[in-house]
Amino acid sequence: MGAPAKAMPYGKLVDDSLTSGGIYMSGSSDALATVTLRVNRFTPRPERDRPARSGSPFAKKSSPFGGASASARRRPRGKQWVQEYTLPVRREDTVLDCLLKIKRTVDPTLAFRYSCGHGMCGSDAVAINGTPTLLCTATVGDWAKPATPIPLADDEGFRHTGDAGDKRSADTTAPEGNSCEDNADAQSHELGIIELAPLPGFPVQRDLIADIDPMLDQIRKLKPYLQADGVLATTSEGKVDVFEYLQRPEQLAKYELLSNCIACGVCEGACPVYAGGDAFIGPAALISTSRFVNDSRDTATDERLDAIDTADGVAACQSVRACSRHCPRGIDVGEEMWQIVARVRER
Ligand code: SF4
Ligand code: FES
């Protein structure tokens, strides 16, 4: 960290350290550029202001994988708006770096979730330029795109879809002074815009934080743990020692990659059928089942296949394969879906 920032609450930041090295520029001689983060923000209405839910008499009352409580979490009401932040960056900075910089120096109200910071925990999945991915592995250089204006609402609340009357043109200047000012060099290297929104398919809690509990509930219901009969190992003296769960390398290879799933929800966010999990238990839950079905030590294969042989299980998968494209752990989710569907059908 450099010199303390001279900041006004939620306003413009004039941070002298940025010209010589800020949080993520320190020690670098790379030329700075600027990027504008266009963030879809959401603040839920306080609980006390929400009308009591009477519910529809035709609503599905329960689902083995979601249920009324999951549905009730959906569609929270509150204030939605788009906010832009312009800040100096290097191309290799991650989008998470940018959000942390904004939160620490410009706007402490901006909400997002992260934990490990390097692609291991799966807590920071969002939609970047409409594509579900992790904030901590997405670099500014890869995701910045030429600026497009935010459609402005007219007097009647409709948004212009063309450029007529839109005075913002391709200007990326942040409204309301949400910018980290920097030197003239950085201003002359505009990398463009990065659009951020919460992970699709899940209810939004606040700003970029989606409620992934429906996905975790679905995974949990499919018993994501090994059910195996261990072999009692004996010591050289013939005494009973510990249970062993033996496996050959080629047996391990059948599910090892699947065990890398970090339940980030990126595949669910990309799946056009998932959308909240009422109609489809989702690819992450099926990957979890597949991991144990392919594990030679697991003794509950029939039970597991029964559990996904339902209308909202494998039958709901439409083989769109959008889930395959962006798995941060390199799992070919669509191919695994295909394999588990075939396994269920050939029983
Ligand atoms: S399969 Fe990949 S994209 Fe889907 S939840 Fe697991 S790690 Fe995330
Ligand atoms: S913060 Fe853990 S995966 Fe991104």
Side-chain angles (χ1 to χ4, degrees):
M1 294 278 294
K6 289 169 273 179
M8 293 172 287
Y10 311 3
K12 275 204 169 189
L13 173 96
V14 182
D15 184 350
D16 297 336
S17 67
L18 291 176
T19 55
S20 56
I23 287 177
Y24 41 86
M25 293 83 178
S26 57
S28 170
S29 57
D30 294 353
L32 295 179
T34 60
V35 74
T36 297
L37 300 193
R38 184 176 284 170
V39 184
N40 283 273
R41 302 201 58 186
F42 172 74
T43 301
R45 197 187 299 169
E47 200 75 48
R48 64 177 182 280
D49 296 344
R50 291 183 205 161
R53 297 178 69 90
S54 53
S56 160
F58 304 108
K60 197 176 176 185
K61 291 285 188 252
S62 65
S63 154
F65 295 104
S69 61
S71 302
R73 278 198 297 265
R74 239 152 256 143
R75 296 184 294 279
R77 300 283 184 264
K79 182 183 166 199
Q80 296 183 48
W81 74 105
V82 176
Q83 192 155 0
E84 291 188 349
Y85 304 89
T86 301
L87 69 162
V89 289
R90 294 176 308 179
R91 294 183 64 85
E92 61 269 34
D93 291 330
T94 66
V95 180
L96 178 62
D97 290 331
C98 299
L99 289 176
L100 287 169
K101 178 74 176 171
I102 292 165
K103 186 160 181 84
R104 288 168 181 163
T105 60
V106 179
D107 184 354
T109 68
L110 181 61
F112 52 95
R113 184 171 51 212
Y114 80 104
S115 182
C116 71
H118 55 272
M120 295 303 292
C121 71
S123 63
D124 59 337
V126 301
I128 302 185
N129 295 344
T131 301
T133 192
L134 302 180
L135 286 170
C136 64
T137 55
T139 62
V140 167
D142 284 345
W143 287 92
K145 60 177 188 178
T148 52
I150 303 174
L152 293 179
D154 62 19
D155 292 343
E156 293 171 349
F158 293 103
R159 286 184 168 180
H160 296 288
T161 52
D163 55 3
D166 191 342
K167 299 285 185 258
R168 302 170 93 121
S169 71
D171 179 8
T172 59
T173 306
E176 301 298 320
N178 285 310
S179 66
C180 301
E181 286 192 351
D182 195 36
N183 55 16
D185 266 3
Q187 302 296 348
S188 65
H189 293 95
E190 282 280 347
L191 291 176
I193 292 254
I194 297 178
E195 292 178 340
L196 298 175
L199 193 61
F202 295 94
V204 186
Q205 289 182 319
R206 181 179 291 271
D207 295 343
L208 299 176
I209 301 177
D211 178 5
I212 59 168
D213 278 357
M215 172 183 73
L216 299 179
D217 288 345
Q218 287 155 342
I219 293 175
R220 216 174 279 128
K221 284 188 169 109
L222 293 175
K223 301 186 178 170
Y225 45 83
L226 189 68
Q227 299 178 59
D229 299 324
V231 178
L232 265 181
T234 52
T235 63
S236 51
E237 291 88 42
K239 290 183 184 162
V240 173
D241 193 12
V242 289
F243 278 103
E244 283 183 330
Y245 300 89
L246 301 174
Q247 196 162 53
R248 291 192 299 277
E250 56 271 25
Q251 291 172 318
L252 170 66
K254 286 193 174 163
Y255 70 90
E256 192 174 16
L257 182 62
L258 299 178
S259 68
N260 286 340
C261 172
I262 50 177
C264 62
V266 162
C267 54
E268 316 254 271
C271 174
V273 186
Y274 180 71
D278 272 346
F280 181 29
I281 60 175
L286 291 178
I287 285 292
S288 172
T289 293
S290 191
R291 178 251 175 270
F292 291 104
V293 163
N294 282 296
D295 188 333
S296 59
R297 302 165 300 173
D298 196 89
T299 56
T301 300
D302 285 342
E303 235 176 83
R304 294 185 191 281
L305 295 179
D306 282 345
I308 59 172
D309 191 7
T310 57
D312 56 357
V314 290
C317 176
Q318 303 292 311
S319 299
V320 178
R321 294 206 174 206
C323 52
S324 291
R325 288 180 213 139
H326 308 288
C327 172
R329 307 299 293 171
I331 299 171
D332 186 342
V333 186
E335 178 59 25
E336 292 303 329
M337 297 295 97
W338 184 254
Q339 301 281 348
I340 196 86
V341 169
R343 189 91 185 251
V344 168
R345 286 193 182 144
E346 73 195 16
R347 290 194 301 158

